[in-house]
Amino acid sequence: MALTDIPASVSTYLDKHHAHFIDGGEVNSSGGETISVVDPSSGQPVSQIADATLDDVNAAVASARHAFESHAWQSMKPAQRAALLHAFADRIEANADQLAMLESIDGGKPIALAKPVDVMATVGAFRYYAGWADKINGTTNNISMDGEHHAFTLREPVGVAALIVPWNYPLVMAGMKLAPALAAGCACVLKPAEDTSLTALRLGELAIEAGFPAGIVNVLTGRGAIAGQALAEHPGVDKVAFTGSTATGKRIVQAAAGNLKKVTLELGGKSPNIIFGDADLEKAIPASAMGIFFNTGQVCTAASRLYVHRSVYDQVVDGIAGVAGGLQVGHSRDYETLIGPLISARQLERVSSYIETGKKEGGEVVYGGNRIGDDGFFVSPTVITGVKNDMTIVKEEIFGPVLVAQAFDEMEEVIALANDTEYGLSSAVWTKDISTAHQVARRLRTGQVGVNQAAVADWNLPIGGYKQSGWGRENGYDGLANYLQTKAVAIAL
Ligand code: NAD
């Protein structure tokens, strides 16, 4: 194992005392408490971040409110906002190596992937929404009220947006919310996950370098139950955009009720991946393996439930187990690594306990199932067969590299099995029959369907959940509309 060296710009950043980023600069937590930042590859602390108090939350929201209402922001032309978003993308790209290394150390991202995947996708989010910033238009409306009127609509920013994101794609999740919020003209308080806050803090600094007015991008680090909850409750916040677990999503809905703030939720999933007997297995097998094992299974849309037609079941399961066996699992700073560690000791415990539950319930581990090494939070890619839909490991989101597989015989049967879940985020179907593909795609109750592919992600394609996988859609115009509200104006002539 040869580890990539940590450049000086990164070690200096890790060593530094991290405060919140509020009103264009660093602001120490009023409580002085910190949270340890752990490298999931070693299990060792590498830095620390500020643990927000309620006073810190109030300061961040006040900063965003002040900036939102400022002349500088309100009078900014749409084309200027577009230019700022492009400048933000440029600053991220210019710092790509540093951000990739931070994401690798803080979030366990394989260093070979952190830049092309995490950093460049984030750059893409800002460039994509830069394109929308000067194309936000209302309508002119022919109305039938008595008299003559000129009626039209204005599309206005919702106001102060709290953006609460998880640890699995820290930069991408931040970009997915910041970019449309800024394009719409909102002011933001970004609350990264306590496990992965370092790159979010850098985004705060880069927003200022790009030229955003102070207070438009604030970054508050701290615990979900305190800082996240306080943001969701805060009367000064107009909108919460949240990505995380379904359980936390439900708490956010309750917390947001106080001032009826607008809420969008991107929540968990347990996505079915259906392989018919006529599928191109040379493509389906490796893609289905990566559909669950990529990012160590810590992907909301992970293709975690595999349904294979009985005629090719053994071949597919053996094939996926074979792919799993060939994946390089290892330290995130090893350039050969394809699958890094889980994010934390807590997540390792959670995934391991699901594997044990699966075995107790009668599942057969045909590949993996074990922790790897004693340092860091590594678990082997795992394939479990002999499962049924009523088993815990088939019902609940594991958020780790664990695939549960079962065979089916009929299309009607597999549609029912696939839809038999409280989640509805994503799904995939593999077949060469165009009629089967269309029928199944229409009947799956999920926000996304991949046909002959297990992973679908594009800034111009909406993502979001049916059922308990969420409220609303992100990406595309839908993602921008989350941060806009409509004002109707009717002028009597
Ligand atoms: P989590 O819900 O525990 O935490 C997510 C964020 O919410 C963190 O920033 C956390 O600090 C904050 N938070 C925690 N409790 C809070 C509260 N009471 N009020 C406000 N904020 C609070 O989720 P996680 O374990 O960090 O992330 C994993 C989950 O995220 C998985 O279920 C996964 O499916 C989901 N996820 C969904 C998507 C999607 O697009 N649908 C993307 C990535 C992750």
Side-chain angles (χ1 to χ4, degrees):
M1 177 174 74
L3 300 189
T4 314
D5 289 338
I6 302 176
S9 72
V10 173
S11 39
T12 312
Y13 192 72
L14 292 173
D15 288 345
K16 123 186 185 48
H17 169 85
H18 293 287
H20 305 302
F21 195 83
I22 296 175
D23 203 24
E26 294 184 40
V27 173
N28 286 326
S29 173
S30 60
E33 298 293 319
T34 58
I35 299 172
S36 178
V37 174
V38 171
D39 177 346
S41 291
S42 66
Q44 297 303 312
V46 287
S47 190
Q48 47 73 40
I49 51 167
D51 188 2
T53 63
L54 296 183
D55 284 344
D56 301 343
V57 173
N58 288 337
V61 173
S63 159
R65 173 64 54 195
H66 179 74
F68 176 69
E69 286 167 7
S70 70
H71 179 73
W73 191 241
Q74 291 295 328
S75 66
M76 188 174 283
K77 301 288 183 206
Q80 283 176 283
R81 273 212 309 278
L84 283 181
L85 281 154
H86 276 300
F88 203 166
D90 291 344
R91 295 309 304 144
I92 295 168
E93 200 166 1
N95 288 273
D97 289 326
Q98 187 205 31
L99 288 166
M101 183 56 83
L102 283 173
E103 211 72 319
S104 183
I105 294 171
D106 194 10
K109 298 285 170 166
I111 190 64
L113 301 175
K115 186 168 160 184
V117 176
D118 297 78
V119 179
M120 292 317 292
T122 310
V123 169
F126 286 97
R127 294 216 192 288
Y128 175 79
Y129 280 106
W132 272 113
D134 58 358
K135 297 169 194 69
I136 298 171
N137 299 314
T139 54
T140 51
N141 300 48
N142 287 319
I143 61 175
S144 302
M145 279 168 56
D146 284 347
E148 290 282 311
H149 303 269
H150 173 46
F152 57 95
T153 63
L154 298 170
R155 297 285 277 156
E156 298 184 336
V158 168
V160 171
L163 315 176
I164 305 177
V165 297
W167 40 258
N168 62 335
Y169 283 96
L171 273 172
V172 177
M173 293 289 135
M176 194 166 183
K177 291 178 169 44
L178 270 176
L182 296 171
C186 289
C188 304
V189 180
L190 172 64
K191 211 302 275 170
E194 40 277 61
D195 284 318
T196 53
S197 292
L198 296 179
T199 50
L201 289 168
R202 277 296 284 143
L203 285 183
E205 296 169 355
L206 296 174
I208 292 294
E209 286 180 24
F212 280 94
I216 291 297
V217 177
N218 303 279
V219 185
L220 191 73
T221 61
R223 294 173 206 277
I226 296 166
Q229 181 80 20
L231 282 170
E233 286 172 358
H234 205 291
V237 172
D238 302 298
K239 186 203 160 54
V240 180
F242 171 75
T243 296
S245 61
T246 295
T248 305
K250 291 179 184 177
R251 279 196 279 279
I252 291 204
V253 169
Q254 287 172 342
N259 66 339
L260 287 179
K261 51 179 72 68
K262 317 286 184 264
V263 177
T264 40
L265 305 170
E266 297 285 350
L267 306 177
K270 190 77 184 176
S271 300
N273 180 22
I274 302 170
I275 302 183
F276 281 90
D278 68 340
D280 179 347
L281 298 187
E282 277 190 23
K283 289 196 178 130
I285 288 170
S288 297
M290 291 317 286
I292 176 65
F293 301 137
F294 192 74
N295 211 44
T296 324
Q298 303 167 118
V299 181
C300 53
T301 54
S304 52
R305 283 188 293 146
L306 179 69
Y307 296 97
V308 188
H309 192 266
R310 201 171 301 280
S311 59
V312 291
Y313 179 75
D314 289 342
Q315 189 184 346
V316 170
V317 168
D318 289 351
I320 292 179
V323 175
L327 297 173
Q328 180 77 27
V329 181
H331 197 292
S332 65
R333 279 193 292 115
D334 184 341
Y335 231 86
E336 301 299 314
T337 292
L338 190 59
I339 308 290
L342 291 164
I343 186 67
S344 61
R346 186 180 67 129
Q347 194 64 7
L348 175 64
E349 166 60 33
R350 182 182 145 94
V351 172
S352 306
S353 128
Y354 270 118
I355 294 171
E356 288 314 307
T357 303
K359 288 198 251 181
K360 281 194 202 115
E361 289 182 336
E364 186 191 350
V365 176
V366 296
Y367 188 82
N370 54 295
R371 182 178 180 183
I372 299 176
D374 298 325
D375 303 324
F377 312 129
F378 298 94
V379 68
S380 170
T382 297
V383 181
I384 304 181
T385 58
V387 302
K388 293 269 180 295
N389 261 24
D390 60 359
M391 286 167 57
T392 310
I393 52 165
V394 183
K395 288 198 292 198
E396 297 184 12
E397 182 182 49
I398 298 174
F399 224 58
V402 181
L403 181 67
V404 293
Q406 53 187 302
F408 72 90
D409 296 293
E410 303 293 337
M411 183 168 83
E412 288 302 320
E413 175 200 2
V414 76
I415 291 171
L417 286 169
N419 284 334
D420 175 27
T421 168
E422 67 190 30
Y423 293 114
L425 192 57
S426 186
S427 57
V429 51
W430 297 82
T431 175
K432 288 190 187 126
D433 184 319
I434 194 165
S435 170
T436 305
H438 277 285
Q439 287 183 70
V440 177
R442 280 176 189 222
R443 291 181 56 197
L444 289 173
R445 305 271 301 142
T446 58
Q448 273 192 342
V449 184
V451 176
N452 294 330
Q453 51 190 336
V456 177
D458 191 287
W459 292 120
N460 200 30
L461 198 65
I463 176 168
Y466 278 41
K467 300 193 266 185
Q468 294 190 39
S469 287
W471 285 358
R473 296 290 176 273
E474 292 191 291
N475 296 356
Y477 179 75
D478 295 47
L480 179 72
N482 291 333
Y483 299 93
L484 294 168
Q485 52 194 345
T486 300
K487 179 182 283 171
V489 183
I491 302 175
L493 301 178

